[in-house]
Amino acid sequence: MSHIAPLIPDDAPFSSAERAFINGWIAAYYATDVATPISAAPATVGEFPWHDASLPLDRRMEIAAGQPMPQLLMAAMAQQDCGQCGYLCRTYAAAIAEGKEKALTRCVPGGKETARKLKELLETGGASAPATVLAAPAAATIAPDTSGPATVAAQFRGARPLNRAGSAKDTRQVVLNLYGSGLRYQTGDSIGIMPTNCPETVAAIIEELGADPHADVDAPNSKRLPLREALSRACDIGRPSDEAVEVLASRARDPDQSQRLQALAEGYPGAEPEGADLLELLTVFPSARPPLQELILALAPLQPRLYSIACSPLVHGGEVHLTVAAVRWEKRGRARKGIASCFLAERATEETTMPVFVQPPAHRFRPPESDDAPMIMIGPGTGIAPFRAFLQERRENGAKGRNWLFFGDQRRATDFLYEDELITWHKEGLLSRLDVAFSRDQPERIYVQQRMREQSARLWRWLNDGAYVFVCGAMAMGRDVDTALAAIVARQGGMGIGAAKAYLAQLGREGRFVKDVY
Ligand SMILES: Cc1cc2nc3c(=O)[nH]c(=O)nc-3n(C[C@H](O)[C@H](O)[C@H](O)COP(=O)(O)OP(=O)(O)OC[C@H]3O[C@@H](n4cnc5c(N)ncnc54)[C@H](O)[C@@H]3O)c2cc1C
Ligand SMILES: NC(=O)c1ccc[n+]([C@@H]2O[C@H](COP(=O)([O-])OP(=O)(O)OC[C@H]3O[C@@H](n4cnc5c(N)ncnc54)[C@H](OP(=O)(O)O)[C@@H]3O)[C@@H](O)[C@H]2O)c1
């Protein structure tokens, strides 16, 4: 069966380069038989132009406008293929479109924004999707990975501070023991850990609810548990689902509180308190006290969190090392804590075991197959994690390829994570180059991109020598590194910025430019 490929109209809200790219993509899509199954392998930007985690949701939806429902649902996902939902972005979308998956809140990095967009798309039937294309079975043939990863119990061994006294940050080298679990991993994998919620917050919620901590309830994970345990290990109390907020709204006795809660549940712009956790909602809206079971079942299940594995199995086979930034902030006079990062940094002890699973990288985020290929690694902050593993692996294999690391953090004196190892590896020659950017050691912020720009000519030579480029760390950094790299390629290669982006896209397709950002 063949189809005539539609072209997006000239007045569609795209630049000419984007239009050409999307038209090319649509043409390629229609050139294939629509009944051809889309493989369950991770998607690429080439296949799905919105599959770029650095694009905001609105932009992704614009790019996907007019596509069939599974593709629209996919564009609403955070595009990280992080696996925390138990699928890839594309297979989660396909499962929802097929009606096999009912939960719309599984996309952890997409959060409420994604959950709301999924709901809206399903309610409106993806208003802009043409009916003829809506019927296309393409995504109906995507097989959701319902088998789930193998989960084992890992034992916590420690969380050594990587920052020195006086740092504004708290980054830990977490070690988990896998001995006897049978769990195997490869360099470039992440590990998913199932945290528990902060016991003080759980106790405060139970007190606010005036409930019995031992009362049995049906938890969102389909188990019957005592309330305290359900709130500790089964419910997302950090980001109460819209459904839970609606339950609170419908049961609030005070009409004003009910209205404010309803506005929050519907995501009204300016609805307050934005980003509230369950305890905050119960405190701010004391008249909202729904029946316990109704509230608990409306909460989303607590999701695992992923951490890049910071060691090579060739060196630390029975263990995994992680590099975890403890997330802490303050709101309404209450200290707030990231659930998993503070579970690992503060609460876990040598007696603690936790369910873990191995999550392979979404893209080809692994050391190059050829030991001779040059490798450029850009990993500020916790982005250093996988590169410690890459370097351990190359060292262990006696790989001859040149290695270049760009690292950055706030201050050299306190935040040079793994400083001793990195300096030793530089002296040994394992690291041919180590370029560092300490953002707050001078009045103006200096980031890794600045060091890249200073090394433009050398970077270009390495690229021409076949170097692989890997980027890992926070999302905003990943986006800015993209921009910097495109500018470097444009200047050094004597090409326009569009051509430079196409050059990088081609490197991406060859697995020579790979990002893992969160
Ligand atoms: C593939 C992958 C690899 C990763 N690797 C690593 C890694 O190696 N190291 C690492 O540290 N992390 C890594 N992460 C991120 C990690 O999975 C968690 O997202 C992170 O640790 C935060 O989780 P948490 O449970 O501690 O915080 P959560 O309880 O999920 O809270 C985080 C949320 O708190 C809110 N928040 C945070 N700060 C503020 C603030 N100042 N004001 C208001 N609200 C705020 C935001 O809504 C934020 O989304 C990775 C993620 C992915 C997808
Ligand atoms: N709330 C918390 O307590 C807390 C604590 C740690 C991490 N986190 C979050 O966890 C994630 C990862 O943290 P992390 O420790 O890996 O690193 P990070 O906070 O991203 O910082 C690492 C280095 O990157 C710099 N940086 C910031 N923006 C950048 C950009 N656009 N381009 C290049 N470099 C940039 C930082 O500089 P500057 O910091 O000087 O701008 C710092 O020098 C981030 O999303 C962070 O927000 C939160």
Side-chain angles (χ1 to χ4, degrees), residues 459-481:
L459 266 173
W460 182 239
R461 280 202 301 278
W462 277 56
L463 286 177
N464 284 322
D465 290 346
Y468 284 63
V469 183
F470 298 97
V471 184
C472 182
M475 185 90 70
M477 177 279 302
R479 199 171 42 232
D480 293 348
V481 162

Side-chain angles (χ1 to χ4, degrees), residues 168-171 325-329 380-383 408-411 417 437-440 445-449 473-478 480-481 518:
K169 304 186 74 170
D170 180 9
T171 317
V327 177
R328 301 188 180 102
W329 71 102
T382 54
D409 215 318
Q410 292 186 353
R411 297 183 187 280
L417 311 181
F438 290 100
S439 50
R440 304 198 189 186
R445 298 275 166 99
I446 291 184
Y447 291 157
V448 282
Q449 300 89 287
M475 185 90 70
M477 177 279 302
D480 293 348
V481 162
Y518 39 85

Side-chain angles (χ1 to χ4, degrees), residues 14 22 49-50 59-68 71-72 75-76 128:
F14 298 111
I22 296 169
W50 55 83
R59 186 79 194 110
R60 297 198 304 270
M61 298 316 300
E62 270 172 36
I63 295 174
Q67 291 289 321
Q71 274 82 341
L72 290 175
S128 60

Side-chain angles (χ1 to χ4, degrees), residues 173-198:
Q173 182 187 356
V174 171
V175 178
L176 304 178
N177 191 338
L178 299 177
Y179 288 106
S181 72
L183 197 67
R184 300 269 177 277
Y185 64 92
Q186 292 179 50
T187 295
D189 286 340
S190 296
I191 196 142
I193 73 137
M194 200 60 198
T196 54
N197 285 310
C198 167

Side-chain angles (χ1 to χ4, degrees), residues 80 82 239 305-308 323-325 329 338-341 382 518:
Q80 289 193 13
C82 65
R239 281 168 283 212
R305 306 295 198 265
L306 292 179
Y307 293 95
S308 311
T323 307
V324 178
W329 71 102
I339 290 169
S341 59
T382 54
Y518 39 85

Side-chain angles (χ1 to χ4, degrees), residues 6 108 215 262 337 372 434:
V108 177
Q262 194 58 41
K337 295 172 180 187
D372 297 326
L434 172 59

